[in-house]
Amino acid sequence: MIGFQQLQRRTPLGWLQLSHQKGKLVVACAGVVFADVLMLMQLGFQGALFNSAVLVHNSVRADVVLISPQARNLTNMSSFPRRRLYQSMDIPGVQSAEALYANMVNWKHPTTQRETSMLMLGFDPNSSVFEQPDINQQLNSIKLPNTVLFDSGSRGDYKAAIAQLGQNQPLKTEIERHSVTIAGTIRIGSSFGADGHLITSDQNFLRLFPRRQASSVSVGLLQLQPGTDPVQTVQALKAHLPNDVQVLTRQEFIEFERSYWARNTPIGFIFNLGVTMGFIVGVIIVYQVLSTDVNAHMGEYATFKAMGYRNRYLLMVVFEEAVILAIIGFFPSVVISAGLYRLTRNATNLPLYMTLARGIFVLMLTMVMCTLSGAIATRKLQSADPADMF
C-alpha cells in the first residue's frame, strides 16, 4: 500500500518530458507504429501462409493419415500403393480407410478463359471424406462424368461465375484440355501453393489424368473406432506396414505441411527475417528518440543528481518514456494492420486475420524493443556530472 501511495505521489517526469514537445512525441510514436505495423504484417503473412497451407488438412475426415515417404507437401504428393489401405484395416480400431487423389492442374477461367493453377482432389463420392457440409451435400453431382465442384474462395475474379452457379446454372470450362462441367461451389480457400481447389470423384480424377493409376493414391485417410487411441494405432500401423508408406496422426499431418513451408521454402525464412528487421528498426528509432531526449535534458539530470537523486531514479524516468512510447504506438499499429489485413484478404482470399495471440505477442515485442532502446540510451545518462553545471 505504501509503495502504491508513493507511486501516486510520484511526478510523472517521463510523460511530462515526452508531452512537452507534441511534435517530437508524434514523430516518436510514428516510428513505433511503423515498426509495429511491419512486425504485424510479417507475422500476419506468416500466419496466412501456415493457415492456408492446411485448409484441406483441417477439412478431411481422418484420425490417421498415410502418405508416401517421398511426399513434400499437399501440392507435391508422391503416391503409394493402394493396398496399404486394405492392409491397414487389419489393425484393431481402424474403422475405414479411404483414398484421396491430389494433383495440381491448369484450368481455364470459366468466363475469361485465362489459365490458372488449382489443386484438384478426387475421392470416392460414396464416402464422406470431407467434414464440410457443402461438399457432402453435392456428392451426387460429382458422380456424373467430367463434373467438378469449384472453390468459391479461389483467388481471382470469379464473381460472375459464382453468381451463375448460385442460380443452379452449370458452367463449362477446360481442365488439362478436357471439357468439364462445374456443377456447384464449395468453399475451402486459396493458399500460397494454389489459387484454389477443385473437388471431383476418383473416376473423374483418373479420367483427367490418364497416367495416374487407381492403385496409386496420394493420401490415405483412416478413421478409427470411437475410443481408439490414434498414437497407439499409428505405432501399430508402422510395425505392420512396409516402409514405402509414412503413417501420421492428423496433427502430425498438419505439422508436416507447416514444417515444409517454414523450413523448405524461402518464403518462410523471408517472413521471419521481416519480423526481425521490424524489431531492429524499432530499436533504432526509439533509441534515437530517447537518446536525443537524454542529451537535451542532460543539464536537468545533472541538477537532479546535485539535489541527491540517484542514478536509479533517473534511469526509471527514461524507462518510463520507453514504456509510454510502446503503449501509445501499439494501438494505432493494430488498427492500421487490421485495415491492411482486410485489404490483403479481399485481394488474395488468404486467411489473414488479426488474432489476440498475435497482438499480445507484438505488444510484448514492442515493450522489449522500447525497454532495450531505453537501456542503451541510459548509458549517457549515467555520465551526467553535477560539476559540469558549475
Side-chain angles (χ1 to χ4, degrees):
M1 181 63 70
I2 294 176
F4 180 71
Q5 291 176 347
Q6 288 178 340
L7 186 63
Q8 280 188 315
R9 291 197 299 268
R10 179 180 178 276
T11 303
L13 284 181
W15 168 248
L16 293 175
Q17 287 193 167
L18 284 174
S19 59
H20 177 66
Q21 293 179 305
K22 300 291 190 302
K24 288 186 176 180
L25 175 61
V26 171
V27 172
C29 290
V32 177
V33 170
F34 174 76
D36 282 355
V37 169
L38 188 57
M39 289 190 288
L40 283 168
M41 291 307 297
Q42 295 297 322
L43 287 171
F45 289 145
Q46 187 182 57
L49 168 67
F50 294 149
N51 292 334
S52 64
V54 297
L55 288 171
V56 174
H57 305 61
N58 286 322
S59 299
V60 293
R61 186 171 290 172
D63 301 304
V64 176
V65 177
L66 305 183
I67 61 174
S68 167
Q70 305 301 322
R72 300 172 60 189
N73 72 324
L74 190 59
T75 58
N76 292 285
M77 298 296 291
S78 296
S79 60
F80 65 90
R82 188 187 183 103
R83 60 179 177 275
R84 303 294 176 241
L85 298 179
Y86 306 135
Q87 292 173 326
S88 66
M89 295 294 293
D90 297 337
I91 302 300
V94 177
Q95 181 173 295
S96 65
E98 300 293 339
L100 180 67
Y101 300 90
N103 219 87
M104 293 297 296
V105 296
N106 290 323
W107 91 319
K108 285 188 176 180
H109 191 294
T111 54
T112 65
Q113 302 300 308
R114 292 183 60 182
E115 286 195 349
T116 185
S117 297
M118 307 285 278
L119 177 61
M120 172 163 280
L121 303 171
F123 58 93
D124 182 0
N126 294 312
S127 303
S128 296
V129 169
F130 285 86
E131 293 180 341
Q132 292 185 220
D134 56 348
I135 296 177
N136 294 329
Q137 291 168 2
Q138 302 180 80
L139 293 180
N140 285 332
S141 62
I142 59 175
K143 293 178 181 177
L144 299 174
N146 299 320
T147 303
V148 302
L149 298 176
F150 169 64
D151 181 3
S152 61
S154 299
R155 183 165 41 245
D157 185 11
Y158 291 100
K159 291 181 180 178
I162 293 172
Q164 185 171 339
L165 291 169
Q167 298 172 357
N168 295 322
Q169 298 178 13
L171 289 171
K172 291 281 188 180
T173 188
E174 285 186 17
I175 299 177
E176 300 291 335
R177 299 183 180 179
H178 288 78
S179 177
V180 297
T181 300
I182 307 173
T185 61
I186 48 97
R187 187 170 185 86
I188 298 178
S190 62
S191 68
F192 283 76
D195 289 335
H197 300 82
L198 297 170
I199 300 291
T200 190
S201 68
D202 49 357
Q203 297 303 313
N204 284 329
F205 183 93
L206 296 172
R207 195 174 290 116
L208 290 169
F209 301 97
R211 294 184 179 180
R212 291 288 299 267
Q213 297 179 349
S215 58
S216 298
V217 302
S218 305
V219 183
L221 305 173
L222 310 186
Q223 289 189 56
L224 305 183
Q225 295 173 353
T228 304
D229 185 356
V231 177
Q232 292 182 358
T233 304
V234 165
Q235 296 302 322
L237 286 166
K238 287 181 178 178
H240 180 67
L241 299 175
N243 58 6
D244 60 355
V245 67
Q246 189 175 357
V247 187
L248 306 171
T249 63
R250 181 192 182 101
Q251 186 59 39
E252 288 173 339
F253 184 43
I254 293 173
E255 293 303 322
F256 161 80
E257 185 76 27
R258 287 179 173 167
S259 175
Y260 169 80
W261 288 100
R263 300 175 183 173
N264 298 329
T265 62
I267 195 168
F269 173 80
I270 290 171
F271 289 150
N272 286 327
L273 182 62
V275 175
T276 305
M277 292 299 296
F279 182 83
I280 294 174
V281 168
V283 169
I284 295 173
I285 291 174
V286 178
Y287 166 72
Q288 289 293 335
V289 172
L290 295 179
S291 178
T292 303
D293 182 79
V294 169
N295 287 332
H297 296 89
M298 190 62 77
E300 287 85 347
Y301 286 127
T303 303
F304 273 119
K305 280 191 173 181
M307 293 169 64
Y309 286 93
R310 298 182 177 180
N311 272 335
R312 180 182 176 186
Y313 178 83
L314 303 180
L315 295 177
M316 291 304 297
V317 173
V318 178
F319 282 124
E320 179 186 337
E321 293 184 38
V323 172
I324 291 172
L325 287 176
I327 294 174
I328 294 180
F330 171 73
F331 291 100
S333 69
V334 172
V335 175
I336 294 172
S337 299
L340 293 174
Y341 281 6
R342 183 172 184 176
L343 180 67
T344 306
R345 189 168 62 247
N346 291 338
T348 63
N349 269 341
L350 289 171
L352 189 61
Y353 298 95
M354 181 65 70
T355 63
L356 179 61
R358 185 179 304 144
I360 293 175
F361 179 65
V362 172
L363 176 60
M364 298 302 294
L365 279 181
T366 308
M367 298 294 284
V368 172
M369 176 181 76
C370 293
T371 305
L372 180 61
S373 303
I376 300 173
T378 55
R379 295 174 59 187
K380 292 185 177 178
L381 179 60
Q382 296 181 35
S383 64
D385 189 350
D388 294 339
M389 298 298 301
F390 307 100

